Amino acid sequence: MFTRLLLASTALLVGSGPLTAQAHNGAYPIRFYDLAPQAGVDVLGFGRGSAMVDLDNDGLLDLVATSASVQTYYFRQLPGGGVHSVPQFQEMTTLWQIPQDTKQTWGTVAADFDNDGDKDLYFPCGGFPYAETNRLLRNDLNTLGKFTLMGPADAGDAVTLLDSSFGASAVDYDLDGDLDLFTSATVAFAGTLDQPCRLLRNDGALHFTDVSIAAGITELGNYKHTGVGDIDNDGWPDLGVGQLVGPARLWRNNGNGTFREIAQVAGLSAPAKNFGFVFDDFDNDGWQDVFLPQYLSPGDSRISRLFLNNQDGTFRDVSNASGIGGQEDMGHNVGDLNADGFPDLYMGTGHPTRLSYDKLYLVRPNGGNGVRAIDLTDYSRIRTGGLTRCHGTPFGDVNGDGFLDIYAVNGGPAADPLSVQEAYLWFNEGNQNRWLKADLSGVISNRDALGTRLNVRTQDGREVHRTLSAGRGFTNTDAHETHFGLGQTFRADWIRILWPSGYEQFLLTPPLEQTTKIIETVLWTQDTARLGQNVAIEATGPAGFEVRMMSSKHPDFRLRADWGGFMRIGGPWYDSPPVLLGSDGKATVQVSVPANAGSVGQTLYLQARVIRVGSGLGILTNRLDLVIQ
């Protein structure tokens, strides 16, 4: 039965019009089943933005389920599950010594704000009802076995500003290697005036300072949820936010600590009732597009908005042509649910006073210069959950089968006790498509590598693009691993990683149906190459690996599969003595600069092989170009 339905639905997806080969590849639908009761995570509450995150670093995804005014739940996934069994969870609030309060928790940002290797938790609070301070929990599980609530003296403006906070995202806006925060506030039902967005700079040691005014983020509004992306591929993260009354906002990063609001110039100032601002590459061209979920009232004829990037600083509205519908978009998220290489849309719907059915759209190229949003709600079985008020919708591969699952955290306003509702854990049944995952760790860049742009190239010439983020949709945090759906491919040629530090790395032939751990492996220096002297080159990569530095006067670009990358220098090259990377993944290598006076003004090209000691297996770094002084 499933095979016949699959083939019929595949025909529906590819359609009868002329589509590119990429459009056909992997056009399979998916089904979901709610296994929350069996997994022990079907909690009742007034659910808001939540998270799928490995909190205890055991390699298994845990769950955070927020609930306005009442308990937030912290579920640890127990070992022993697998692809063919239902994972089991244990609620850990008491065991992890997590303090609870009655704040209106509105979302969850899970990120490593102190760069110590585990995920801390930030909760925007207040939302519609009234202004409240936000909450920051430092993850001390690896040292103290608990989470620590950060107070005003420790965390500064991140927990002292009194806002009706609605959305939040983690971002390294100044590319200094630690994660900052971008938050939004709404006009509360209590009748507050238009509110500001906040840019909170991480000063180190989890202390934050509000730098919004100095950064040029001064526009007031009735804001909803936030997003972080890079619309022009310049390496500097840009900031977006939806607005209920008034246009969405987009602040372009000037690269000097300041921003400029450009939504109208860019063609993104959609009408009011934007409940969020989501960056993703819907047409897989390497440029991030924008989804603006529109919240509808009864009789409202508007639809949600989908904008494709024109690659020149502007966007084109393809909403009507795509077939995307109108619904009461509140909870929302984006991810490649059917593993075909294109991000799909999950719409959590509902209203404070009524219930609605959630929606699921598969997004595919349309054979021209746009995309199609295909309503798969009925086939996917999402409607079997019944009518909801859905907010939290984090995505992640809970059981390790390679297909993204959804934790749908539901519930209405806390002022209405009857609006409480149970959470659903939608397990993805999967299909015939291939996949891989990349688990990134920064060394020069922020430890979580947020803002990293990746693309996978397959043997049939396809490229699948992803950018790593935390805090999007209804302030959800998806699983940290970057998931690549690859359709019906047989091999991935490489993963290209462009780190927030600006350095590029390639990983050749990554295995399919596996998660590959990737550590930022690059060369850099602040020294000057002076004639006849040594220059100190900083190398980063996996701790304990060996750095074998090579230097040459000649550039090159050719594949060296046996060396794990692209050789960017030509022979003859000269090797420096090998150096081991320390426990922090860093090492300094001394390189001799030629003493010949005729070398002044010439370029010395450096590249290194970073090798696992005793195995010969490794990876080639970026190339470092030094002009000899």
Side-chain angles (χ1 to χ4, degrees), residues 370-552:
V371 295
R372 289 184 299 150
I374 303 158
D375 189 342
L376 206 71
T377 305
D378 288 333
Y379 179 85
S380 68
R381 295 177 53 86
I382 291 297
R383 285 179 69 97
T384 61
L387 299 166
T388 73
R389 295 182 180 94
C390 178
H391 299 100
T393 54
F395 293 174
D397 181 9
V398 174
N399 62 341
D401 67 351
F403 290 87
L404 295 178
D405 309 304
I406 303 168
Y407 192 37
V409 183
N410 306 307
D416 178 8
L418 297 179
S419 70
V420 69
Q421 192 171 12
E422 72 275 12
Y424 302 141
L425 185 55
W426 291 112
F427 270 87
N428 192 329
E429 187 179 70
N431 55 36
Q432 302 174 31
N433 286 334
R434 312 296 298 277
W435 57 271
L436 64 82
K437 290 184 285 185
D439 185 4
L440 270 58
S441 181
V443 181
I444 304 173
S445 304
N446 66 86
R447 183 72 172 264
D448 271 353
L450 298 185
T452 300
R453 287 184 286 146
L454 307 93
N455 69 282
V456 170
R457 181 180 176 88
T458 67
Q459 101 288 339
D460 53 358
R462 297 183 71 202
E463 291 200 4
V464 181
H465 298 266
R466 295 288 178 265
T467 300
L468 195 54
S469 65
R472 70 173 188 169
F474 203 100
T475 308
N476 302 293
T477 299
D478 299 332
H480 178 260
E481 300 92 350
T482 305
H483 174 269
F484 291 91
L486 301 176
Q488 288 294 286
T489 192
F490 297 101
R491 185 185 72 250
D493 290 337
W494 68 68
I495 303 176
R496 175 180 178 262
I497 307 108
L498 188 58
W499 298 92
S501 62
Y503 295 107
E504 183 184 62
Q505 178 178 344
F506 282 87
L507 181 69
L508 299 185
T509 58
L512 302 188
E513 274 74 58
Q514 290 186 36
T515 299
T516 300
K517 292 185 179 296
I518 303 173
I519 296 174
E520 188 174 19
T521 305
V522 299
L523 303 179
W524 62 283
T525 187
Q526 293 180 334
D527 280 2
T528 300
R530 300 192 182 279
L531 193 69
Q533 299 182 14
N534 284 348
V535 58
I537 305 299
E538 307 301 327
T540 71
F545 276 47
E546 187 176 73
V547 180
R548 298 182 183 178
M549 188 73 68
M550 301 175 289
S551 61
S552 173

Side-chain angles (χ1 to χ4, degrees), residues 571-617:
W573 55 79
Y574 305 91
D575 294 339
S576 299
V579 175
L580 286 179
L581 291 165
S583 60
D584 59 355
K586 299 179 181 179
T588 301
V589 182
Q590 299 292 333
V591 175
S592 299
V593 179
N596 184 350
S599 298
V600 173
Q602 294 183 356
T603 300
L604 183 65
Y605 300 99
L606 304 179
Q607 192 174 16
R609 295 176 65 197
V610 179
I611 300 171
R612 185 190 299 274
V613 176
S615 71
L617 300 175

Side-chain angles (χ1 to χ4, degrees), residues 120-397:
D120 311 298
L121 297 171
Y122 188 71
F123 302 95
C125 300
F128 279 134
Y130 34 71
E132 290 183 315
T133 56
N134 296 338
R135 188 191 311 114
L136 175 61
L137 293 175
R138 186 181 67 208
N139 190 335
D140 292 326
L141 291 179
N142 291 336
T143 55
L144 304 176
K146 67 175 186 176
F147 280 84
T148 301
L149 180 65
M150 303 298 286
D154 301 310
D157 291 336
V159 299
T160 59
L161 295 172
L162 194 63
D163 288 331
S164 49
S165 294
F166 210 91
S169 300
V171 55
D172 184 4
Y173 82 93
D174 50 4
L175 300 183
D176 65 350
D178 56 22
L179 290 174
D180 314 297
L181 282 160
F182 175 54
T183 70
S184 66
T186 194
V187 175
F189 287 142
T192 55
L193 301 175
D194 281 359
Q195 300 292 301
C197 289
R198 307 280 191 180
L199 183 61
L200 303 173
R201 185 189 64 213
N202 190 337
D203 303 320
L206 285 180
H207 185 278
F208 293 82
T209 300
D210 182 6
V211 296
S212 310
I213 294 176
I217 300 175
T218 57
E219 292 83 357
L220 300 179
N222 186 358
Y223 295 121
K224 293 297 171 271
H225 289 292
T226 58
V228 174
D230 183 2
I231 64 163
D232 48 10
N233 285 346
D234 66 351
W236 292 93
D238 309 307
L239 308 174
V241 64
Q243 187 171 184
L244 188 63
V245 181
R249 303 283 191 189
L250 172 63
W251 286 278
R252 182 184 179 273
N253 195 326
N254 295 322
N256 60 3
T258 68
F259 292 77
R260 181 168 62 95
E261 206 288 311
I262 63 166
Q264 185 171 359
V265 173
L268 289 172
S269 56
K273 296 189 177 180
N274 300 307
F275 237 77
F277 197 115
V278 180
F279 297 88
D280 216 315
D281 189 353
F282 290 97
D283 56 356
N284 241 338
D285 64 353
W287 295 76
Q288 285 194 296
D289 312 304
V290 170
F291 169 61
L292 298 180
Q294 297 264 301
Y295 178 74
L296 303 186
S297 300
D300 199 335
S301 61
R302 74 184 74 210
I303 61 174
S304 288
R305 313 309 298 180
L306 190 56
F307 298 87
L308 297 186
N309 196 321
N310 292 323
Q311 306 180 15
D312 61 1
T314 67
F315 293 77
R316 64 188 184 276
D317 188 342
V318 298
S319 310
N320 291 324
S322 74
I324 195 170
Q327 49 274 318
E328 294 176 335
D329 295 356
M330 269 200 174
H332 55 279
N333 206 352
V334 177
D336 185 4
L337 297 172
N338 68 334
D340 65 348
F342 297 94
D344 308 306
L345 296 167
Y346 187 95
M347 316 288 207
T349 62
H351 185 276
T353 62
R354 62 180 175 274
L355 301 154
S356 298
Y357 285 108
D358 294 350
K359 298 292 287 288
L360 189 153
Y361 291 96
L362 293 186
V363 177
R364 300 287 304 173
N366 67 359
N369 64 348
V371 295
R372 289 184 299 150
I374 303 158
D375 189 342
L376 206 71
T377 305
D378 288 333
Y379 179 85
S380 68
R381 295 177 53 86
I382 291 297
R383 285 179 69 97
T384 61
L387 299 166
T388 73
R389 295 182 180 94
C390 178
H391 299 100
T393 54
F395 293 174
D397 181 9

